Amino acid sequence: MTRTLKSVAIIGAGVVGVATAYALARRGLDVTVIDGRESAGRGASYANGAQLSYLYTDALANPRLFRDMPGLLLGRSEAFRMRLSLDPDYLRWLLAFLRNCTAGRFKRNTLAALELGLESRLQMASLLATHDLDFGYAVRGKMHLYHTETAFAAARRVMGMKNVGPAAQQALTYDEARAIEPALDAAPDRPVGIIYTPDEAVGDSFRFSSNMLELLQARYGVRVIFDATVSEVSTASSQALLCTDGQAVKADMAVVCAGADARRLLRPFGVSIPVMPMKGYSLTAPPGEAAPTVSLTDTTRRLVFTRLDGRIRVAGLADLGWRSADPDPARLNTLLQHARASLPQAAAFDDASSFWAGLRPMTPNSLPCIGQAGPALAYNVGHGMLGWTLAMGSGERLARQIAPDFDPVSEGHAPHDVKTLAATP
């Protein structure tokens, strides 16, 4: 006899958790969202780079990074640090990461993430066509800046590999890019080339999480429990029993969307999710004299500059294996120094009012883990640096897996050109 899925409890109220809740609630399921913080989006979703980079899905593990590995392990890169540790989980993760640094796996992983990114863009377009959701969404375009001919040539090869077409992504000279984004005139280091994607978007993932959850409560009757850390999940009775510090929650299925904390919850079930925290930083400041409108990525310094609701968000750095989300003042200072060196007039850096750090759940292949671990347990974790970008698509994928017999409720019509957004390369 087939068990009927009626209720789902989602652990985690970041962008992935609320996107998953939306996908399941639209299918008529009874959804409860549980989070240990005081409100939605307080973890890695709080103050990230804010860019919805649907076509910039390049896997972190690549052949060049493999060559750079000795220097990274010795701490020679300020932008990307790797913690030295004999922890078995960490060592297994590093070995798996190194195995993904081949050209073939880089291509496979990048194209798989691109496919999910295009699905996610389709789902976001459908959401925005259906609901008036306020989170600072805007299509501003995005430029990746390259400062050496070698790096620019490699980027053009990856662009050709994705094969999304010249209307979607273009290689530009500095003068061509400057005509689109005059703020590049203020860059001390003139890039030798730029990859430009005109239809990339921005949005505040914290506001998205909060406002989406309000929508889910008002429109779909989703139940929300905050300040309740899930200490244990039991599925002994073919139902999920979630034990929190304040109450017990029963559901037909538990879905773990807990980011870097997912391994703790899944390990008792023998589920080994290869997720390692990668700490990132951001600052938010008023616009400067040469503030960009287009989202910019300095690929040399691994920084992103995003105009968001009249302010400039600068995000970057990657500290692999650091488990505390507390901001490190020295790393924040590094971020500030790199931002000033990259685009000194992009923001009024002396007036920055928000400094943040968060733990991004990174997998060795840069692809999220989406699946079911039993009749009453599923997971949607490991989105790394692309959680905001991939959230809507991965939520829909998880919903199709665990609720294949449920069709989403039709609530409106997406724009006529939405189908083109999901075209695979």
Side-chain angles (χ1 to χ4, degrees):
M1 181 176 179
T2 303
R3 187 174 67 98
T4 301
L5 183 66
K6 295 181 179 179
S7 60
V8 178
I10 296 174
I11 306 170
V15 288
V16 174
V18 299
T20 303
Y22 177 68
L24 292 168
R26 285 200 309 137
R27 286 165 164 79
L29 296 175
D30 181 6
V31 177
T32 300
V33 177
I34 307 169
D35 197 282
R37 298 175 176 85
E38 69 274 19
S39 64
R42 290 284 178 176
S45 302
Y46 185 68
N48 57 30
Q51 297 183 1
L52 291 159
S53 303
Y54 298 115
L55 300 189
Y56 287 100
T57 57
D58 301 7
L60 180 62
N62 62 75
R64 180 179 176 183
L65 199 63
F66 183 82
R67 295 191 296 269
D68 294 341
M69 190 62 63
L72 292 174
L73 291 172
L74 292 173
R76 293 175 181 169
S77 170
E78 288 189 309
F80 185 12
R81 300 191 306 175
M82 304 182 78
R83 183 174 61 91
L84 293 175
S85 172
L86 296 179
D87 174 66
D89 288 337
Y90 184 67
L91 293 176
R92 279 192 292 269
W93 192 98
L94 280 181
L95 288 174
F97 181 77
L98 291 174
R99 286 196 295 270
N100 279 283
C101 284
T102 65
R105 291 193 177 194
F106 169 75
K107 178 178 181 179
R108 183 184 66 191
N109 296 335
T110 296
L111 293 182
L114 175 63
E115 182 178 359
L116 181 55
L118 291 171
E119 290 178 24
S120 201
R121 186 165 69 170
L122 174 66
Q123 294 300 323
M124 181 65 81
S126 178
L127 169 71
L128 295 176
T130 305
H131 298 291
D132 184 15
L133 200 63
D134 175 24
F135 58 99
Y137 178 85
V139 177
R140 300 196 182 280
K142 181 173 179 177
M143 293 181 177
H144 269 213
L145 314 180
Y146 298 90
H147 297 96
T148 68
E149 290 290 351
T150 300
F152 187 42
R156 293 198 304 272
R157 288 194 295 271
V158 173
M159 183 180 70
M161 178 183 77
K162 294 176 182 175
N163 192 30
V164 293
Q169 200 165 58
Q170 309 152 24
L172 304 180
T173 66
Y174 171 74
D175 288 335
E176 290 171 333
R178 185 179 57 178
I180 299 170
E181 180 48 82
L184 293 176
D185 276 332
D189 299 328
R190 176 172 171 169
V192 301
I194 292 93
I195 300 296
Y196 175 49
T197 309
D199 292 331
E200 299 287 55
V202 302
D204 187 329
S205 56
F206 170 64
R207 283 170 53 199
F208 175 87
S209 301
S210 299
N211 293 342
M212 174 70 104
L213 211 51
E214 290 183 5
L215 168 70
L216 288 170
Q217 290 175 278
R219 183 67 179 267
Y220 301 95
V222 169
R223 181 187 180 201
V224 178
I225 305 173
F226 287 125
D227 293 314
T229 301
V230 176
S231 57
E232 182 184 356
V233 180
S234 172
T235 61
S237 62
S238 296
Q239 277 195 319
L241 175 64
L242 294 80
C243 299
T244 75
D245 44 16
Q247 59 185 301
V249 178
K250 285 186 178 181
D252 293 329
M253 180 173 289
V255 180
V256 179
C257 300
D261 196 39
R263 293 169 69 240
R264 173 184 65 82
L265 294 167
L266 293 170
R267 181 170 287 169
F269 298 93
V271 180
S272 180
I273 297 293
V275 170
M276 190 59 55
M278 179 177 281
K279 193 171 184 176
Y281 289 82
S282 77
L283 64 87
T284 308
E289 295 179 2
T293 298
V294 175
S295 296
L296 301 178
T297 297
D298 181 335
T299 61
T300 301
R301 298 178 178 88
R302 295 179 179 268
L303 290 179
V304 300
F305 296 81
T306 308
R307 184 182 284 266
L308 184 67
D309 291 332
R311 297 177 69 77
I312 299 296
R313 171 76 51 82
V314 183
L317 308 185
D319 291 348
L320 180 66
W322 272 258
R323 298 182 183 277
S324 171
D326 294 336
D328 180 344
R331 293 298 277 164
L332 284 170
N333 187 56
T334 297
L335 177 70
L336 184 58
Q337 289 179 346
H338 285 194
R340 290 183 187 275
S342 178
L343 291 170
Q345 299 179 52
F349 294 111
D350 289 338
D351 297 322
S353 59
S354 176
F355 296 90
W356 174 83
L359 300 178
R360 299 166 293 197
M362 198 75 198
T363 60
N365 61 5
S366 297
L367 297 172
C369 301
I370 305 170
Q372 191 167 345
L377 183 66
Y379 50 84
N380 186 5
V381 297
H383 298 72
M385 296 176 287
L386 291 173
W388 182 207
T389 295
L390 302 179
M392 290 296 294
S394 64
E396 186 65 20
R397 279 195 183 182
L398 190 281
R400 290 199 301 265
Q401 284 190 36
I402 68 173
D405 298 327
F406 292 79
D407 293 324
V409 176
S410 177
E411 301 173 294
H413 299 285
H416 293 300
D417 62 345
V418 161
K419 290 184 179 179
T420 66
L421 301 178
T424 54

